[in-house]
Short mmCIF file of all heavy atoms in Angstrom, two decimals:
data_model
loop_
_atom_site.label_atom_id
_atom_site.label_comp_id
_atom_site.label_asym_id
_atom_site.label_seq_id
_atom_site.Cartn_x
_atom_site.Cartn_y
_atom_site.Cartn_z
N PHE A 1 0.89 -1.17 -0.01
CA PHE A 1 0.01 0.02 0.02
C PHE A 1 0.91 1.24 -0.01
O PHE A 1 1.76 1.39 0.91
CB PHE A 1 -0.93 0.06 1.25
CG PHE A 1 -2.02 -0.96 1.18
CD1 PHE A 1 -1.90 -2.23 1.69
CD2 PHE A 1 -3.24 -0.67 0.52
CE1 PHE A 1 -2.97 -3.14 1.70
CE2 PHE A 1 -4.30 -1.50 0.54
CZ PHE A 1 -4.12 -2.84 1.07
N PHE A 2 0.73 2.08 -0.98
CA PHE A 2 1.69 3.21 -1.14
C PHE A 2 0.82 4.49 -1.53
O PHE A 2 -0.36 4.43 -1.77
CB PHE A 2 2.68 2.95 -2.20
CG PHE A 2 2.14 3.08 -3.62
CD1 PHE A 2 2.39 4.26 -4.37
CD2 PHE A 2 1.34 2.06 -4.19
CE1 PHE A 2 1.91 4.39 -5.62
CE2 PHE A 2 0.87 2.21 -5.48
CZ PHE A 2 1.10 3.37 -6.23
N ALA A 3 1.55 5.60 -1.58
CA ALA A 3 0.95 6.83 -2.10
C ALA A 3 2.05 7.56 -2.94
O ALA A 3 3.19 7.49 -2.64
CB ALA A 3 0.50 7.71 -0.99
N ASP A 4 1.63 8.26 -4.00
CA ASP A 4 2.53 9.00 -4.87
C ASP A 4 3.37 10.05 -4.11
O ASP A 4 4.49 10.28 -4.50
CB ASP A 4 1.83 9.67 -6.05
CG ASP A 4 1.34 8.61 -7.12
OD1 ASP A 4 2.01 7.58 -7.18
OD2 ASP A 4 0.39 8.89 -7.77
N TRP A 5 2.74 10.65 -3.08
CA TRP A 5 3.35 11.74 -2.36
C TRP A 5 4.33 11.22 -1.20
O TRP A 5 4.93 12.08 -0.57
CB TRP A 5 2.28 12.67 -1.77
CG TRP A 5 1.18 11.88 -1.13
CD1 TRP A 5 -0.02 11.57 -1.67
CD2 TRP A 5 1.17 11.33 0.19
NE1 TRP A 5 -0.76 10.84 -0.77
CE2 TRP A 5 -0.04 10.68 0.40
CE3 TRP A 5 2.12 11.30 1.23
CZ2 TRP A 5 -0.38 9.99 1.54
CZ3 TRP A 5 1.80 10.63 2.37
CH2 TRP A 5 0.53 10.01 2.51
N CYS A 6 4.45 9.96 -1.12
CA CYS A 6 5.15 9.38 0.03
C CYS A 6 6.62 9.09 -0.30
O CYS A 6 6.92 8.29 -1.18
CB CYS A 6 4.39 8.08 0.44
SG CYS A 6 5.40 6.94 1.45
N GLY A 7 7.51 9.81 0.36
CA GLY A 7 8.98 9.60 0.16
C GLY A 7 9.39 8.17 0.47
O GLY A 7 10.05 7.60 -0.43
N PRO A 8 9.13 7.66 1.59
CA PRO A 8 9.58 6.24 1.87
C PRO A 8 9.04 5.20 0.88
O PRO A 8 9.71 4.25 0.60
CB PRO A 8 9.02 5.96 3.29
CG PRO A 8 8.94 7.31 3.93
CD PRO A 8 8.59 8.22 2.80
N CYS A 9 7.88 5.53 0.28
CA CYS A 9 7.29 4.60 -0.72
C CYS A 9 8.23 4.58 -1.94
O CYS A 9 8.35 3.55 -2.57
CB CYS A 9 5.86 5.05 -1.14
SG CYS A 9 4.69 5.04 0.22
N LYS A 10 8.78 5.72 -2.31
CA LYS A 10 9.66 5.84 -3.43
C LYS A 10 10.94 5.07 -3.17
O LYS A 10 11.60 4.56 -4.10
CB LYS A 10 9.95 7.30 -3.78
CG LYS A 10 8.75 8.01 -4.36
CD LYS A 10 9.07 9.51 -4.62
CE LYS A 10 7.96 10.24 -5.36
NZ LYS A 10 6.75 10.42 -4.57
N VAL A 11 11.36 5.00 -1.90
CA VAL A 11 12.58 4.22 -1.51
C VAL A 11 12.22 2.69 -1.62
O VAL A 11 13.08 1.93 -2.07
CB VAL A 11 13.01 4.55 -0.06
CG1 VAL A 11 14.12 3.69 0.42
CG2 VAL A 11 13.45 6.06 -0.04
N LEU A 12 11.01 2.37 -1.21
CA LEU A 12 10.70 0.94 -1.11
C LEU A 12 10.44 0.34 -2.58
O LEU A 12 10.82 -0.85 -2.76
CB LEU A 12 9.38 0.73 -0.32
CG LEU A 12 8.90 -0.65 -0.12
CD1 LEU A 12 9.92 -1.50 0.60
CD2 LEU A 12 7.56 -0.66 0.59
N ALA A 13 9.94 1.11 -3.48
CA ALA A 13 9.63 0.57 -4.88
C ALA A 13 10.83 -0.22 -5.54
O ALA A 13 10.65 -1.35 -5.98
CB ALA A 13 9.15 1.68 -5.75
N PRO A 14 12.01 0.41 -5.63
CA PRO A 14 13.14 -0.38 -6.25
C PRO A 14 13.52 -1.59 -5.39
O PRO A 14 14.00 -2.57 -5.95
CB PRO A 14 14.27 0.67 -6.36
CG PRO A 14 13.84 1.83 -5.42
CD PRO A 14 12.36 1.80 -5.28
N ILE A 15 13.41 -1.48 -4.07
CA ILE A 15 13.71 -2.65 -3.26
C ILE A 15 12.79 -3.83 -3.57
O ILE A 15 13.25 -4.97 -3.72
CB ILE A 15 13.61 -2.29 -1.74
CG1 ILE A 15 14.68 -1.25 -1.33
CG2 ILE A 15 13.71 -3.56 -0.85
CD1 ILE A 15 14.53 -0.67 0.06
N LEU A 16 11.48 -3.50 -3.78
CA LEU A 16 10.59 -4.57 -4.14
C LEU A 16 10.83 -5.16 -5.49
O LEU A 16 10.63 -6.31 -5.69
CB LEU A 16 9.10 -4.07 -4.02
CG LEU A 16 8.61 -3.73 -2.65
CD1 LEU A 16 7.17 -3.21 -2.70
CD2 LEU A 16 8.73 -4.98 -1.74
N LYS A 17 11.35 -4.31 -6.44
CA LYS A 17 11.72 -4.87 -7.81
C LYS A 17 12.86 -5.79 -7.62
O LYS A 17 12.91 -6.84 -8.26
CB LYS A 17 12.17 -3.65 -8.68
CG LYS A 17 10.98 -2.93 -9.30
CD LYS A 17 11.43 -2.04 -10.46
CE LYS A 17 10.21 -1.42 -11.05
NZ LYS A 17 10.02 -0.05 -10.75
N GLU A 18 13.85 -5.53 -6.71
CA GLU A 18 14.95 -6.45 -6.47
C GLU A 18 14.44 -7.77 -5.84
O GLU A 18 14.89 -8.85 -6.24
CB GLU A 18 15.98 -5.80 -5.56
CG GLU A 18 16.81 -4.66 -6.17
CD GLU A 18 17.68 -4.00 -5.22
OE1 GLU A 18 18.15 -4.70 -4.23
OE2 GLU A 18 17.98 -2.81 -5.34
N VAL A 19 13.50 -7.66 -4.93
CA VAL A 19 12.93 -8.84 -4.32
C VAL A 19 12.25 -9.72 -5.33
O VAL A 19 12.51 -10.93 -5.40
CB VAL A 19 11.92 -8.41 -3.18
CG1 VAL A 19 11.14 -9.59 -2.76
CG2 VAL A 19 12.60 -7.73 -2.04
N LYS A 20 11.51 -9.07 -6.22
CA LYS A 20 10.77 -9.82 -7.29
C LYS A 20 11.82 -10.54 -8.23
O LYS A 20 11.63 -11.66 -8.56
CB LYS A 20 9.87 -8.90 -8.07
CG LYS A 20 9.16 -9.56 -9.22
CD LYS A 20 8.18 -10.62 -8.72
CE LYS A 20 7.45 -11.29 -9.89
NZ LYS A 20 6.86 -12.57 -9.49
N SER A 21 12.91 -9.79 -8.59
CA SER A 21 13.84 -10.43 -9.49
C SER A 21 14.58 -11.55 -8.83
O SER A 21 14.93 -12.53 -9.45
CB SER A 21 14.79 -9.35 -10.07
OG SER A 21 15.62 -8.87 -9.04
N GLU A 22 14.78 -11.46 -7.50
CA GLU A 22 15.45 -12.57 -6.81
C GLU A 22 14.57 -13.82 -6.64
O GLU A 22 15.00 -14.94 -6.78
CB GLU A 22 15.93 -12.10 -5.45
CG GLU A 22 16.68 -13.18 -4.69
CD GLU A 22 17.42 -12.69 -3.42
OE1 GLU A 22 17.94 -11.59 -3.42
OE2 GLU A 22 17.43 -13.50 -2.44
N LEU A 23 13.30 -13.56 -6.29
CA LEU A 23 12.38 -14.65 -5.95
C LEU A 23 11.55 -15.16 -7.10
O LEU A 23 10.96 -16.21 -7.05
CB LEU A 23 11.49 -14.19 -4.78
CG LEU A 23 12.16 -13.98 -3.45
CD1 LEU A 23 11.17 -13.50 -2.43
CD2 LEU A 23 12.91 -15.19 -2.97
N GLY A 24 11.45 -14.34 -8.15
CA GLY A 24 10.75 -14.72 -9.39
C GLY A 24 9.27 -15.13 -9.13
O GLY A 24 8.55 -14.41 -8.43
N ASP A 25 8.85 -16.31 -9.62
CA ASP A 25 7.54 -16.71 -9.57
C ASP A 25 7.04 -17.27 -8.17
O ASP A 25 5.90 -17.66 -8.01
CB ASP A 25 7.20 -17.78 -10.59
CG ASP A 25 7.29 -17.26 -12.02
OD1 ASP A 25 7.09 -15.96 -12.13
OD2 ASP A 25 7.56 -18.00 -13.04
N SER A 26 7.98 -17.25 -7.20
CA SER A 26 7.61 -17.79 -5.91
C SER A 26 6.91 -16.73 -5.07
O SER A 26 6.43 -16.98 -3.98
CB SER A 26 8.80 -18.29 -5.09
OG SER A 26 9.66 -17.22 -4.83
N ILE A 27 6.75 -15.45 -5.65
CA ILE A 27 6.03 -14.44 -5.00
C ILE A 27 5.36 -13.57 -6.06
O ILE A 27 5.80 -13.47 -7.17
CB ILE A 27 6.98 -13.50 -4.19
CG1 ILE A 27 6.24 -12.41 -3.43
CG2 ILE A 27 8.04 -12.90 -5.00
CD1 ILE A 27 5.50 -12.81 -2.20
N LYS A 28 4.15 -13.10 -5.68
CA LYS A 28 3.49 -12.02 -6.51
C LYS A 28 3.51 -10.73 -5.64
O LYS A 28 3.29 -10.78 -4.46
CB LYS A 28 2.04 -12.39 -6.74
CG LYS A 28 1.91 -13.52 -7.79
CD LYS A 28 0.43 -13.76 -8.09
CE LYS A 28 0.33 -14.92 -9.06
NZ LYS A 28 -0.82 -15.79 -8.77
N ILE A 29 3.89 -9.64 -6.34
CA ILE A 29 3.93 -8.39 -5.59
C ILE A 29 2.92 -7.47 -6.34
O ILE A 29 3.01 -7.30 -7.53
CB ILE A 29 5.33 -7.74 -5.61
CG1 ILE A 29 6.31 -8.69 -4.90
CG2 ILE A 29 5.33 -6.37 -5.03
CD1 ILE A 29 7.74 -8.20 -4.89
N ILE A 30 2.03 -6.89 -5.55
CA ILE A 30 1.07 -5.98 -6.14
C ILE A 30 1.12 -4.66 -5.34
O ILE A 30 1.33 -4.72 -4.11
CB ILE A 30 -0.37 -6.50 -6.28
CG1 ILE A 30 -0.94 -6.87 -4.91
CG2 ILE A 30 -0.43 -7.60 -7.24
CD1 ILE A 30 -2.38 -7.30 -4.98
N THR A 31 0.99 -3.57 -6.01
CA THR A 31 1.02 -2.24 -5.36
C THR A 31 -0.37 -1.62 -5.45
O THR A 31 -1.04 -1.74 -6.45
CB THR A 31 2.09 -1.26 -6.02
OG1 THR A 31 1.81 -1.22 -7.41
CG2 THR A 31 3.45 -1.85 -5.82
#
């Protein structure tokens, strides 16, 4: 759960991309 105006959300987004690339199909990530 995020918001466009949220600074920490902008920090988290690329971290979640890395998580998805590491774990692949073993996780679904939705924002």
Side-chain angles (χ1 to χ4, degrees):
F1 285 94
F2 78 101
D4 286 334
W5 45 262
C6 161
C9 299
K10 290 177 172 71
V11 172
L12 184 61
I15 294 171
L16 291 179
K17 280 193 175 106
E18 290 176 29
V19 168
K20 177 65 179 160
S21 68
E22 180 169 325
L23 296 177
D25 292 337
S26 66
I27 182 76
K28 287 185 183 141
I29 298 177
I30 57 174
T31 55

